[in-house]
């Protein structure tokens, strides 16, 4: 079973920021700068956390992971945009 997560990050160093962005592209869809929507199994989430842990500096950087619950069901209804909206894909394939 997959859960939908919002992953947001604040990375102080531009080189680490780029590495985190590239890492996150393998796990989800970029919604905004430094914000991703990820549909992950528990194993994929653990792998994502491991990879991010290897990149970030824990004293300087911050990653927030919000669990929105099962991917099926609520879908795009979890998201509301003001201004320029973004079409969300119905299903997202995760390539790790």
């Amino acid at each position: 079973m997959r859960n939908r997560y919002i992953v947001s990050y604040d990375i102080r160093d531009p080189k680490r920021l780029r590495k985190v962005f590239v890492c996150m592209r393998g796990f989800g869809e970029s919604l905004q700068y430094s914000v991703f929507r990820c549909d992950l199994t528990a194993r994929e989430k653990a792998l994502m956390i491991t990879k991010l842990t290897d990149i970030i500096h824990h004293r300087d950087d911050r990653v927030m992971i919000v669990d929105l619950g099962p991917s099926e069901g609520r879908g795009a209804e979890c998201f509301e945009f003001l201004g320029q909206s973004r079409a969300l894909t119905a299903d997202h394939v995760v390539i790790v």
Side-chain angles (χ1 to χ4, degrees):
M1 182 168 104
R2 293 184 179 277
N3 272 14
R4 178 155 293 165
Y5 299 93
I6 296 298
V7 180
S8 176
Y9 49 87
D10 184 12
I11 309 298
R12 290 191 181 193
D13 178 74
K15 290 180 184 178
R16 288 195 313 271
L17 176 63
R18 179 75 182 144
K19 287 180 181 181
V20 169
F21 178 78
V22 169
C23 174
M24 287 306 303
R25 283 195 318 193
F27 291 99
E29 176 182 7
S30 175
L31 297 178
Q32 290 183 305
Y33 298 119
S34 302
V35 179
F36 279 77
R37 179 192 79 156
C38 305
D39 292 339
L40 306 171
T41 64
R43 183 177 180 167
E44 291 166 339
K45 180 185 175 202
L47 179 60
M48 179 186 73
I49 289 170
T50 299
K51 288 187 177 222
L52 289 171
T53 298
D54 291 342
I55 298 170
I56 70 169
H57 286 188
H58 293 266
R59 281 192 245 158
D60 299 330
D61 304 329
R62 178 181 301 142
V63 177
M64 179 178 69
I65 303 169
V66 179
D67 186 346
L68 298 175
S71 297
E72 290 86 30
R74 294 173 46 186
E77 297 171 16
C78 297
F79 297 91
E80 197 173 330
F81 292 94
L82 300 176
Q84 183 183 9
S85 66
R86 165 124 186 173
L88 298 174
T89 57
D91 290 288
H92 184 72
V93 177
V94 176
I95 301 172
V96 179

